[in-house]
PDB file of all heavy atoms in Angstrom:
ATOM      1  N   GLY G 348     -34.471 122.086   9.733  1.00 87.00           N
ATOM      2  CA  GLY G 348     -35.012 123.351   9.255  1.00 87.00           C
ATOM      3  C   GLY G 348     -35.881 123.153   8.033  1.00 87.00           C
ATOM      4  O   GLY G 348     -36.056 122.034   7.541  1.00 87.00           O
ATOM      5  N   LEU G 349     -36.441 124.252   7.552  1.00 87.00           N
ATOM      6  CA  LEU G 349     -37.290 124.225   6.357  1.00 87.00           C
ATOM      7  C   LEU G 349     -36.553 124.891   5.202  1.00 87.00           C
ATOM      8  O   LEU G 349     -35.981 125.971   5.359  1.00 87.00           O
ATOM      9  CB  LEU G 349     -38.609 124.960   6.616  1.00 87.00           C
ATOM     10  CG  LEU G 349     -39.615 124.267   7.524  1.00 87.00           C
ATOM     11  CD1 LEU G 349     -40.726 125.236   7.928  1.00 87.00           C
ATOM     12  CD2 LEU G 349     -40.212 123.039   6.845  1.00 87.00           C
ATOM     13  N   GLY G 350     -36.582 124.239   4.045  1.00 83.00           N
ATOM     14  CA  GLY G 350     -36.009 124.821   2.843  1.00 83.00           C
ATOM     15  C   GLY G 350     -37.042 125.664   2.107  1.00 83.00           C
ATOM     16  O   GLY G 350     -37.898 126.311   2.715  1.00 83.00           O
ATOM     17  N   ALA G 351     -36.963 125.660   0.775  1.00 80.00           N
ATOM     18  CA  ALA G 351     -37.858 126.487  -0.038  1.00 80.00           C
ATOM     19  C   ALA G 351     -39.316 126.065   0.165  1.00 80.00           C
ATOM     20  O   ALA G 351     -39.598 124.890   0.358  1.00 80.00           O
ATOM     21  CB  ALA G 351     -37.472 126.339  -1.510  1.00 80.00           C
ATOM     22  N   PRO G 352     -40.247 127.031   0.054  1.00 88.00           N
ATOM     23  CA  PRO G 352     -40.006 128.475  -0.072  1.00 88.00           C
ATOM     24  C   PRO G 352     -39.990 129.198   1.278  1.00 88.00           C
ATOM     25  O   PRO G 352     -40.119 130.420   1.325  1.00 88.00           O
ATOM     26  CB  PRO G 352     -41.220 128.925  -0.892  1.00 88.00           C
ATOM     27  CG  PRO G 352     -42.328 128.017  -0.421  1.00 88.00           C
ATOM     28  CD  PRO G 352     -41.672 126.680  -0.096  1.00 88.00           C
ATOM     29  N   HIS G 353     -39.819 128.434   2.375  1.00 87.00           N
ATOM     30  CA  HIS G 353     -39.932 129.010   3.722  1.00 87.00           C
ATOM     31  C   HIS G 353     -38.595 129.510   4.262  1.00 87.00           C
ATOM     32  O   HIS G 353     -38.520 130.554   4.895  1.00 87.00           O
ATOM     33  CB  HIS G 353     -40.517 127.962   4.681  1.00 87.00           C
ATOM     34  CG  HIS G 353     -41.711 127.262   4.120  1.00 87.00           C
ATOM     35  ND1 HIS G 353     -42.913 127.892   3.949  1.00 87.00           N
ATOM     36  CD2 HIS G 353     -41.877 125.986   3.657  1.00 87.00           C
ATOM     37  CE1 HIS G 353     -43.785 127.033   3.412  1.00 87.00           C
ATOM     38  NE2 HIS G 353     -43.169 125.880   3.227  1.00 87.00           N
ATOM     39  N   TRP G 354     -37.526 128.731   4.064  1.00 81.00           N
ATOM     40  CA  TRP G 354     -36.175 129.076   4.506  1.00 81.00           C
ATOM     41  C   TRP G 354     -36.161 129.492   5.975  1.00 81.00           C
ATOM     42  O   TRP G 354     -35.785 130.601   6.326  1.00 81.00           O
ATOM     43  CB  TRP G 354     -35.542 130.152   3.608  1.00 81.00           C
ATOM     44  CG  TRP G 354     -35.324 129.629   2.236  1.00 81.00           C
ATOM     45  CD1 TRP G 354     -36.034 129.934   1.123  1.00 81.00           C
ATOM     46  CD2 TRP G 354     -34.352 128.645   1.827  1.00 81.00           C
ATOM     47  NE1 TRP G 354     -35.571 129.218   0.043  1.00 81.00           N
ATOM     48  CE2 TRP G 354     -34.553 128.419   0.447  1.00 81.00           C
ATOM     49  CE3 TRP G 354     -33.355 127.950   2.498  1.00 81.00           C
ATOM     50  CZ2 TRP G 354     -33.771 127.522  -0.272  1.00 81.00           C
ATOM     51  CZ3 TRP G 354     -32.581 127.051   1.775  1.00 81.00           C
ATOM     52  CH2 TRP G 354     -32.789 126.847   0.401  1.00 81.00           C
ATOM     53  N   ASP G 355     -36.586 128.573   6.812  1.00 87.00           N
ATOM     54  CA  ASP G 355     -36.553 128.772   8.260  1.00 87.00           C
ATOM     55  C   ASP G 355     -35.544 127.787   8.845  1.00 87.00           C
ATOM     56  O   ASP G 355     -35.842 126.616   9.044  1.00 87.00           O
ATOM     57  CB  ASP G 355     -37.944 128.538   8.858  1.00 87.00           C
ATOM     58  CG  ASP G 355     -37.994 128.796  10.364  1.00 87.00           C
ATOM     59  OD1 ASP G 355     -36.920 128.907  10.992  1.00 87.00           O
ATOM     60  OD2 ASP G 355     -39.113 128.870  10.909  1.00 87.00           O
ATOM     61  N   GLN G 356     -34.313 128.265   9.101  1.00 78.00           N
ATOM     62  CA  GLN G 356     -33.276 127.357   9.582  1.00 78.00           C
ATOM     63  C   GLN G 356     -33.439 127.028  11.062  1.00 78.00           C
ATOM     64  O   GLN G 356     -32.711 126.196  11.609  1.00 78.00           O
ATOM     65  CB  GLN G 356     -31.888 127.911   9.307  1.00 78.00           C
ATOM     66  CG  GLN G 356     -31.596 129.291   9.840  1.00 78.00           C
ATOM     67  CD  GLN G 356     -30.301 129.848   9.239  1.00 78.00           C
ATOM     68  OE1 GLN G 356     -29.635 129.214   8.430  1.00 78.00           O
ATOM     69  NE2 GLN G 356     -29.941 131.060   9.637  1.00 78.00           N
ATOM     70  N   TYR G 357     -34.432 127.646  11.710  1.00 87.00           N
ATOM     71  CA  TYR G 357     -34.698 127.357  13.123  1.00 87.00           C
ATOM     72  C   TYR G 357     -35.969 126.538  13.318  1.00 87.00           C
ATOM     73  O   TYR G 357     -36.378 126.292  14.455  1.00 87.00           O
ATOM     74  CB  TYR G 357     -34.763 128.659  13.921  1.00 87.00           C
ATOM     75  CG  TYR G 357     -33.470 129.444  13.812  1.00 87.00           C
ATOM     76  CD1 TYR G 357     -33.422 130.678  13.186  1.00 87.00           C
ATOM     77  CD2 TYR G 357     -32.283 128.909  14.311  1.00 87.00           C
ATOM     78  CE1 TYR G 357     -32.218 131.378  13.071  1.00 87.00           C
ATOM     79  CE2 TYR G 357     -31.082 129.591  14.195  1.00 87.00           C
ATOM     80  CZ  TYR G 357     -31.060 130.826  13.574  1.00 87.00           C
ATOM     81  OH  TYR G 357     -29.858 131.502  13.458  1.00 87.00           O
ATOM     82  N   ALA G 358     -36.601 126.129  12.232  1.00 89.00           N
ATOM     83  CA  ALA G 358     -37.735 125.203  12.339  1.00 89.00           C
ATOM     84  C   ALA G 358     -37.228 123.814  12.724  1.00 89.00           C
ATOM     85  O   ALA G 358     -36.073 123.466  12.477  1.00 89.00           O
ATOM     86  CB  ALA G 358     -38.483 125.128  11.011  1.00 89.00           C
ATOM     87  N   ARG G 359     -38.107 123.020  13.326  1.00 92.00           N
ATOM     88  CA  ARG G 359     -37.781 121.627  13.630  1.00 92.00           C
ATOM     89  C   ARG G 359     -39.016 120.756  13.383  1.00 92.00           C
ATOM     90  O   ARG G 359     -40.139 121.250  13.300  1.00 92.00           O
ATOM     91  CB  ARG G 359     -37.290 121.463  15.079  1.00 92.00           C
ATOM     92  CG  ARG G 359     -35.890 122.011  15.338  1.00 92.00           C
ATOM     93  CD  ARG G 359     -34.824 121.313  14.501  1.00 92.00           C
ATOM     94  NE  ARG G 359     -33.481 121.840  14.742  1.00 92.00           N
ATOM     95  CZ  ARG G 359     -32.903 122.780  14.011  1.00 92.00           C
ATOM     96  NH1 ARG G 359     -33.554 123.337  12.996  1.00 92.00           N
ATOM     97  NH2 ARG G 359     -31.672 123.179  14.280  1.00 92.00           N
ATOM     98  N   GLY G 360     -38.790 119.455  13.281  1.00 92.00           N
ATOM     99  CA  GLY G 360     -39.862 118.523  12.950  1.00 92.00           C
ATOM    100  C   GLY G 360     -40.968 118.510  14.001  1.00 92.00           C
ATOM    101  O   GLY G 360     -40.720 118.716  15.191  1.00 92.00           O
ATOM    102  N   SER G 361     -42.186 118.241  13.541  1.00 94.00           N
ATOM    103  CA  SER G 361     -43.310 118.149  14.482  1.00 94.00           C
ATOM    104  C   SER G 361     -44.363 117.192  13.934  1.00 94.00           C
ATOM    105  O   SER G 361     -44.501 117.012  12.719  1.00 94.00           O
ATOM    106  CB  SER G 361     -43.934 119.527  14.725  1.00 94.00           C
ATOM    107  OG  SER G 361     -44.553 120.021  13.547  1.00 94.00           O
ATOM    108  N   ILE G 362     -45.072 116.567  14.857  1.00 95.00           N
ATOM    109  CA  ILE G 362     -46.254 115.763  14.522  1.00 95.00           C
ATOM    110  C   ILE G 362     -47.419 116.378  15.292  1.00 95.00           C
ATOM    111  O   ILE G 362     -47.356 116.506  16.519  1.00 95.00           O
ATOM    112  CB  ILE G 362     -46.087 114.288  14.915  1.00 95.00           C
ATOM    113  CG1 ILE G 362     -44.836 113.686  14.272  1.00 95.00           C
ATOM    114  CG2 ILE G 362     -47.311 113.479  14.495  1.00 95.00           C
ATOM    115  CD1 ILE G 362     -44.534 112.259  14.707  1.00 95.00           C
ATOM    116  N   VAL G 363     -48.460 116.774  14.581  1.00 95.00           N
ATOM    117  CA  VAL G 363     -49.614 117.407  15.234  1.00 95.00           C
ATOM    118  C   VAL G 363     -50.890 116.640  14.874  1.00 95.00           C
ATOM    119  O   VAL G 363     -50.947 115.933  13.864  1.00 95.00           O
ATOM    120  CB  VAL G 363     -49.756 118.887  14.826  1.00 95.00           C
ATOM    121  CG1 VAL G 363     -48.541 119.685  15.279  1.00 95.00           C
ATOM    122  CG2 VAL G 363     -49.936 119.030  13.322  1.00 95.00           C
ATOM    123  N   GLY G 364     -51.892 116.791  15.722  1.00 95.00           N
ATOM    124  CA  GLY G 364     -53.202 116.187  15.467  1.00 95.00           C
ATOM    125  C   GLY G 364     -53.367 114.786  16.009  1.00 95.00           C
ATOM    126  O   GLY G 364     -54.348 114.112  15.698  1.00 95.00           O
ATOM    127  N   MET G 365     -52.427 114.310  16.845  1.00 96.00           N
ATOM    128  CA  MET G 365     -52.516 112.939  17.351  1.00 96.00           C
ATOM    129  C   MET G 365     -53.582 112.807  18.442  1.00 96.00           C
ATOM    130  O   MET G 365     -53.801 113.727  19.232  1.00 96.00           O
ATOM    131  CB  MET G 365     -51.166 112.481  17.892  1.00 96.00           C
ATOM    132  CG  MET G 365     -50.115 112.262  16.836  1.00 96.00           C
ATOM    133  SD  MET G 365     -48.615 111.477  17.505  1.00 96.00           S
ATOM    134  CE  MET G 365     -47.998 112.795  18.556  1.00 96.00           C
ATOM    135  N   THR G 366     -54.230 111.662  18.461  1.00 96.00           N
ATOM    136  CA  THR G 366     -55.173 111.280  19.505  1.00 96.00           C
ATOM    137  C   THR G 366     -54.801 109.888  19.994  1.00 96.00           C
ATOM    138  O   THR G 366     -53.850 109.267  19.497  1.00 96.00           O
ATOM    139  CB  THR G 366     -56.615 111.256  18.958  1.00 96.00           C
ATOM    140  OG1 THR G 366     -56.720 110.162  18.012  1.00 96.00           O
ATOM    141  CG2 THR G 366     -56.976 112.560  18.257  1.00 96.00           C
ATOM    142  N   ARG G 367     -55.584 109.378  20.961  1.00 96.00           N
ATOM    143  CA  ARG G 367     -55.343 108.012  21.439  1.00 96.00           C
ATOM    144  C   ARG G 367     -55.560 106.987  20.324  1.00 96.00           C
ATOM    145  O   ARG G 367     -55.068 105.854  20.403  1.00 96.00           O
ATOM    146  CB  ARG G 367     -56.270 107.681  22.624  1.00 96.00           C
ATOM    147  CG  ARG G 367     -55.825 108.268  23.958  1.00 96.00           C
ATOM    148  CD  ARG G 367     -54.603 107.577  24.517  1.00 96.00           C
ATOM    149  NE  ARG G 367     -54.796 106.169  24.760  1.00 96.00           N
ATOM    150  CZ  ARG G 367     -55.306 105.653  25.876  1.00 96.00           C
ATOM    151  NH1 ARG G 367     -55.683 106.464  26.863  1.00 96.00           N
ATOM    152  NH2 ARG G 367     -55.434 104.346  26.018  1.00 96.00           N
ATOM    153  N   GLY G 368     -56.293 107.381  19.309  1.00 95.00           N
ATOM    154  CA  GLY G 368     -56.547 106.459  18.196  1.00 95.00           C
ATOM    155  C   GLY G 368     -55.472 106.465  17.130  1.00 95.00           C
ATOM    156  O   GLY G 368     -55.525 105.678  16.177  1.00 95.00           O
ATOM    157  N   THR G 369     -54.457 107.339  17.264  1.00 96.00           N
ATOM    158  CA  THR G 369     -53.378 107.416  16.278  1.00 96.00           C
ATOM    159  C   THR G 369     -52.493 106.175  16.363  1.00 96.00           C
ATOM    160  O   THR G 369     -52.093 105.763  17.449  1.00 96.00           O
ATOM    161  CB  THR G 369     -52.525 108.674  16.520  1.00 96.00           C
ATOM    162  OG1 THR G 369     -53.358 109.837  16.380  1.00 96.00           O
ATOM    163  CG2 THR G 369     -51.380 108.764  15.512  1.00 96.00           C
ATOM    164  N   THR G 370     -52.188 105.596  15.202  1.00 96.00           N
ATOM    165  CA  THR G 370     -51.357 104.388  15.146  1.00 96.00           C
ATOM    166  C   THR G 370     -50.094 104.656  14.333  1.00 96.00           C
ATOM    167  O   THR G 370     -49.945 105.712  13.715  1.00 96.00           O
ATOM    168  CB  THR G 370     -52.125 103.231  14.487  1.00 96.00           C
ATOM    169  OG1 THR G 370     -52.320 103.554  13.090  1.00 96.00           O
ATOM    170  CG2 THR G 370     -53.472 102.998  15.159  1.00 96.00           C
ATOM    171  N   ASP G 371     -49.213 103.666  14.321  1.00 94.00           N
ATOM    172  CA  ASP G 371     -48.008 103.792  13.503  1.00 94.00           C
ATOM    173  C   ASP G 371     -48.355 103.951  12.030  1.00 94.00           C
ATOM    174  O   ASP G 371     -47.637 104.627  11.280  1.00 94.00           O
ATOM    175  CB  ASP G 371     -47.077 102.595  13.729  1.00 94.00           C
ATOM    176  CG  ASP G 371     -47.732 101.255  13.486  1.00 94.00           C
ATOM    177  OD1 ASP G 371     -48.957 101.196  13.226  1.00 94.00           O
ATOM    178  OD2 ASP G 371     -47.015 100.233  13.585  1.00 94.00           O
ATOM    179  N   ALA G 372     -49.475 103.377  11.598  1.00 96.00           N
ATOM    180  CA  ALA G 372     -49.888 103.510  10.195  1.00 96.00           C
ATOM    181  C   ALA G 372     -50.265 104.959   9.871  1.00 96.00           C
ATOM    182  O   ALA G 372     -49.936 105.469   8.788  1.00 96.00           O
ATOM    183  CB  ALA G 372     -51.063 102.585   9.904  1.00 96.00           C
ATOM    184  N   HIS G 373     -50.944 105.629  10.806  1.00 97.00           N
ATOM    185  CA  HIS G 373     -51.303 107.033  10.575  1.00 97.00           C
ATOM    186  C   HIS G 373     -50.045 107.897  10.486  1.00 97.00           C
ATOM    187  O   HIS G 373     -49.948 108.795   9.639  1.00 97.00           O
ATOM    188  CB  HIS G 373     -52.197 107.549  11.707  1.00 97.00           C
ATOM    189  CG  HIS G 373     -53.556 106.928  11.739  1.00 97.00           C
ATOM    190  ND1 HIS G 373     -53.954 106.066  12.731  1.00 97.00           N
ATOM    191  CD2 HIS G 373     -54.603 107.030  10.880  1.00 97.00           C
ATOM    192  CE1 HIS G 373     -55.202 105.667  12.498  1.00 97.00           C
ATOM    193  NE2 HIS G 373     -55.604 106.229  11.373  1.00 97.00           N
ATOM    194  N   ILE G 374     -49.074 107.622  11.340  1.00 96.00           N
ATOM    195  CA  ILE G 374     -47.829 108.393  11.316  1.00 96.00           C
ATOM    196  C   ILE G 374     -47.059 108.120  10.031  1.00 96.00           C
ATOM    197  O   ILE G 374     -46.513 109.046   9.402  1.00 96.00           O
ATOM    198  CB  ILE G 374     -46.975 108.068  12.559  1.00 96.00           C
ATOM    199  CG1 ILE G 374     -47.691 108.604  13.815  1.00 96.00           C
ATOM    200  CG2 ILE G 374     -45.571 108.659  12.442  1.00 96.00           C
ATOM    201  CD1 ILE G 374     -47.043 108.183  15.113  1.00 96.00           C
ATOM    202  N   ALA G 375     -47.029 106.876   9.592  1.00 95.00           N
ATOM    203  CA  ALA G 375     -46.350 106.535   8.334  1.00 95.00           C
ATOM    204  C   ALA G 375     -47.000 107.250   7.154  1.00 95.00           C
ATOM    205  O   ALA G 375     -46.317 107.790   6.279  1.00 95.00           O
ATOM    206  CB  ALA G 375     -46.370 105.030   8.119  1.00 95.00           C
ATOM    207  N   ARG G 376     -48.338 107.259   7.145  1.00 96.00           N
ATOM    208  CA  ARG G 376     -49.035 107.925   6.043  1.00 96.00           C
ATOM    209  C   ARG G 376     -48.804 109.439   6.097  1.00 96.00           C
ATOM    210  O   ARG G 376     -48.586 110.081   5.058  1.00 96.00           O
ATOM    211  CB  ARG G 376     -50.531 107.602   6.085  1.00 96.00           C
ATOM    212  CG  ARG G 376     -51.261 108.067   4.829  1.00 96.00           C
ATOM    213  CD  ARG G 376     -52.687 107.531   4.759  1.00 96.00           C
ATOM    214  NE  ARG G 376     -53.293 107.910   3.483  1.00 96.00           N
ATOM    215  CZ  ARG G 376     -53.735 107.064   2.576  1.00 96.00           C
ATOM    216  NH1 ARG G 376     -53.639 105.755   2.787  1.00 96.00           N
ATOM    217  NH2 ARG G 376     -54.266 107.488   1.447  1.00 96.00           N
TER     218      ARG G 376
END
Side-chain angles (χ1 to χ4, degrees):
L349 288 168
H353 314 290
W354 294 106
D355 183 347
Q356 55 192 1
Y357 301 115
R359 287 299 180 265
S361 67
I362 304 175
V363 297
M365 290 189 292
T366 68
R367 281 289 300 274
T369 299
T370 68
D371 55 355
H373 292 111
I374 292 172
R376 190 170 185 119

